[in-house]
Amino acid sequence: MPRYRTCVPTALLALDLDGTLIGPDTQPPPGLLDELRAWQLGGAHVAVITARGRLPPLLRDWPLHSVSRCYGAWLRCEGRVLWERTLPTTAVHAALGALTPTERGGRCKTLIVTPDPRGILRHTDPDFEDRWPHAPAPLKVVHGQPDADRLDGLQAQWAAIPGAQVIRERRDRLVLVAAGAGKGEALRDLATHLGVPAARTWAAGDGPADAAMLPHARTFLRVGAHPALHAAHLSAPGPADVPPVLARCRADALGCRA
């Protein structure tokens, strides 16, 4: 990552990763990295805000100033970690306590992501029940299963847990993060840290969790057609179409020729 700059960036560009910048092949589309470099050369701060528990190795070679994982629970800016918003131990106890014994195994999947980049505890680990209470305070808890109706009820239970918030981007998966650890808060707080107002912020995403960034951006690019992002200002069919749209946004944001 570039060295920390004391000057205020000319703009902030905050981007979701999966489904927005990369597809199932996990490779950036042609022109994307060149476009991100062009934003940087124009003085913009470029950030990726992803739901992933682990940052993929491919990001090491990307021109980025900031990266957030687990939605907005963890963020590294200019080479240093700005925050780790972890779940209270009581919230994790409550979330796991809401699961039936059957839901802790079988076709159900439960995992806990800790601040350690390698720290993922899975329900299939033989010592999961003994280990997780002694692990560092987690960034998120994930539970997936095929019974969507049951997840509807479980979502209501998790939503009532103090100090936590539920994110559900898929019908077969629930995610629990700390209160204030969503993508919207991550974008807002990063912009405040950098001194960049919402009027100088551009963002992009493809799923319902990305909708939280809409109020904190002057322009939001919807990738795909998820209805939760109906209020987006621009749209692109898929990741391959993102670079040229970002180039047009750059012309508006930085006064650069696209």
Side-chain angles (χ1 to χ4, degrees), residues 29-114:
L32 175 64
L33 300 189
D34 288 340
E35 183 55 36
L36 298 184
R37 291 188 188 97
W39 278 79
Q40 283 196 337
L41 289 174
H45 185 102
V46 181
V48 161
I49 301 178
T50 177
R52 291 200 187 198
R54 290 177 176 168
L55 297 178
L58 66 91
L59 292 185
R60 296 171 188 162
D61 300 322
W62 285 29
L64 303 173
H65 296 101
S66 296
V67 181
S68 175
R69 62 190 176 100
C70 296
Y71 300 94
W74 181 96
L75 186 135
R76 183 180 66 213
C77 175
E78 305 284 8
R80 64 191 180 100
V81 176
L82 280 190
W83 64 70
E84 290 178 349
R85 294 167 174 164
T86 57
L87 281 160
T89 302
T90 53
V92 182
H93 273 285
L96 296 182
L99 303 177
T100 66
T102 302
E103 288 172 337
R104 292 187 182 229
R107 291 188 297 165
C108 302
K109 297 179 180 179
T110 304
L111 60 86
I112 296 175
V113 180
T114 72

